[in-house]
Amino acid sequence: MTHDNHDVTVGEMLRRHGISRRGFIKFCTAAASAMALPPFMGPAMAQQLRNARRPSVIYLSFQECTGCLESLTRSFAPTIESLIFNIISLDYDDTLMAAAGEAAETARTKAMQDNFGKYVLIVDGSVPTGAGGAYCTAGGRSAVDTLREAAKGAAAIVCVGTCSSFGGIPFADPNPTGAWPVTAIVGDKPIINVSGCPPIPEVITGTLLQLVATGKVPDLDEHRRPKVFFGNTIHDRCYRRPFYDQGKFAKSFDDEGARNGWCLYELGCKGPTTYNACATLKWNGGTSFPIESGHGCLGCSEPGFWDKGSFYAAQSAAAWGKAGEVSPRQVLEVTATAAAAGAVIGAASAGVSRLRQHRSEQHGIGRESKGDE
């Protein structure tokens, strides 16, 4: 985790590590496939990445369980080793780096100073504002102070996990620590939400690859999530969808329907209202995902998933098509020292999905504008 080679291109770093052009193109083709891009985009991505500079990356951990970082370390395309040694320069991550204490904080400060305005800031975990920020401090500084300082010099902010994206479990009622997502604290920087509890590792690395290759924020949905990964509901792509269409539902987790792989909708599966790539990318290198393992989707990549009632109660069809309900926005006033938090106004959102659009019998329902910026 050094920041001595930021001016070296990704292509040069790959050559130094003995990776051939053919191997690099194969890697980029696999990455393009993971991002649901056509195969011919592999060589194009390879050309872009080859000439791209390795960006400095600062990874901050706040109120989190380390599950998101654990997920990232299990990425298959690219592997975590290839990511941090060839594509990005991970200059600060208090979990992975060898340094600790004052040495670690000095490394973070130097990386921010040397790459001001250019580095990518990754935030993992919600930001507690209660008790003057005392619930999450490092080096005597609150999470709010640390976030505000790091955000000033960031070219873009990537929120990894539902906690930093939407508040997650710490934000759930009654929220004793006054936890908030990054968007409630920082409002003047490009922010990309890679939600999930935890996110799929290839969604995290794919988003970073897209940033490095293009130098631009990818196309985002109303909750600032990359559409390439969050453009479809899990229900849209689920292999059990034909059973739903046939009206075949498991009634319990050990009945004949469950053993036959029937739809888990009546057991509380939130796939119809959850936007994510679980059914296509899957986990552990494409091995499986929760529904394939016999458990319904919990909706963990959506705002407020923890407070939406039982995970095992079937959803009302009226809720279909809404990509989450309330997503916290830049409406929280927090002082520089996190001594006080102001009033909060949630921006209500409702987007009518393709599924509801195709049901023409529901007249008069149009797509609602979010207006959430």
Side-chain angles (χ1 to χ4, degrees):
M1 293 180 194
T2 62
H3 36 274
D4 301 326
N5 296 311
H6 292 148
D7 291 333
V8 177
T9 64
V10 173
E12 176 60 27
M13 287 300 297
L14 291 167
R15 281 191 292 273
R16 291 182 184 181
H17 287 86
I19 298 176
S20 67
R21 180 178 181 276
R22 179 186 296 273
F24 183 47
I25 291 178
K26 287 177 66 176
F27 158 75
C28 290
T29 301
S33 176
M35 289 185 279
L37 299 174
F40 68 82
M41 287 299 297
M45 179 180 290
Q47 183 61 36
Q48 289 178 313
L49 276 176
R50 186 178 292 111
N51 298 320
R53 302 289 176 180
R54 296 173 67 225
S56 172
V57 173
I58 309 294
Y59 192 117
L60 297 180
S61 299
F62 296 134
Q63 274 189 316
E64 44 82 21
C65 67
T66 314
C68 297
L69 183 58
E70 288 277 358
S71 179
L72 175 58
T73 62
R74 287 156 175 77
S75 173
F76 283 78
T79 62
I80 185 65
E81 298 91 341
S82 179
L83 178 72
I84 65 178
F85 292 130
N86 299 327
I87 298 171
I88 66 173
S89 178
L90 185 59
D91 292 332
Y92 181 86
D93 184 315
D94 58 8
T95 302
L96 295 181
M97 66 194 308
E102 184 177 349
E105 294 307 300
T106 299
R108 177 177 64 85
T109 300
K110 187 177 189 310
M112 289 164 52
Q113 291 173 346
D114 293 349
N115 301 282
F116 192 87
K118 301 177 182 178
Y119 60 83
V120 175
L121 177 62
I122 297 178
V123 181
D124 182 354
S126 60
V127 187
T129 62
Y135 290 109
C136 187
T137 62
R141 304 188 65 199
S142 71
V144 174
D145 280 351
T146 301
L147 173 60
R148 285 189 180 278
E149 178 191 41
K152 287 180 182 178
I157 300 175
V158 179
C159 296
V160 171
T162 296
C163 290
S164 58
S165 297
F166 306 132
I169 294 175
F171 180 71
D173 187 64
N175 191 2
T177 64
W180 288 95
V182 171
T183 51
I185 310 296
V186 178
D188 59 349
K189 293 289 180 177
I191 295 178
I192 305 169
N193 288 331
V194 183
S195 60
C197 192
I200 301 169
E202 285 75 25
V203 173
I204 304 173
T205 55
T207 300
L208 292 174
L209 277 175
Q210 201 165 356
L211 267 178
V212 175
T214 66
K216 299 177 182 178
V217 172
D219 192 18
L220 307 178
D221 71 3
E222 61 267 36
H223 292 303
R224 307 191 193 194
R225 300 174 297 193
K227 286 184 177 179
V228 68
F229 298 115
F230 297 91
N232 295 103
T233 67
I234 291 175
H235 184 73
D236 289 336
R237 302 292 186 180
C238 183
Y239 77 101
R240 297 187 190 229
R241 174 65 184 270
F243 291 116
Y244 172 87
D245 294 336
Q246 297 169 28
K248 295 181 178 179
F249 301 98
K251 305 299 182 182
S252 71
F253 287 108
D254 61 353
D255 69 0
E256 181 182 0
R259 290 191 290 273
N260 290 330
W262 290 359
C263 181
L264 301 173
Y265 175 72
E266 293 189 3
L267 294 177
C269 181
K270 305 301 187 290
T273 57
T274 302
Y275 288 75
N276 210 333
C278 300
T280 49
L281 287 182
K282 303 185 180 181
W283 297 78
N284 297 318
T287 301
S288 183
F289 71 112
I291 294 175
E292 193 169 352
S293 299
H295 195 286
C297 169
L298 301 181
C300 72
S301 59
E302 296 301 317
F305 86 98
W306 196 258
D307 288 327
K308 292 182 178 178
S310 171
F311 290 147
Y312 302 103
Q315 291 180 307
S316 166
W320 282 37
K322 296 181 180 179
E325 294 178 355
V326 177
S327 182
R329 300 300 175 192
Q330 176 58 30
V331 294
L332 179 68
E333 297 297 333
V334 183
T335 66
T337 60
V344 178
I345 303 174
S349 62
V352 182
S353 72
R354 291 168 296 283
L355 178 62
R356 293 191 71 183
Q357 292 173 353
H358 292 168
R359 295 187 173 184
S360 59
E361 69 271 18
Q362 299 186 29
H363 299 294
I365 299 181
R367 181 175 297 276
E368 298 176 8
S369 173
K370 307 298 291 182
D372 59 349
E373 292 298 319

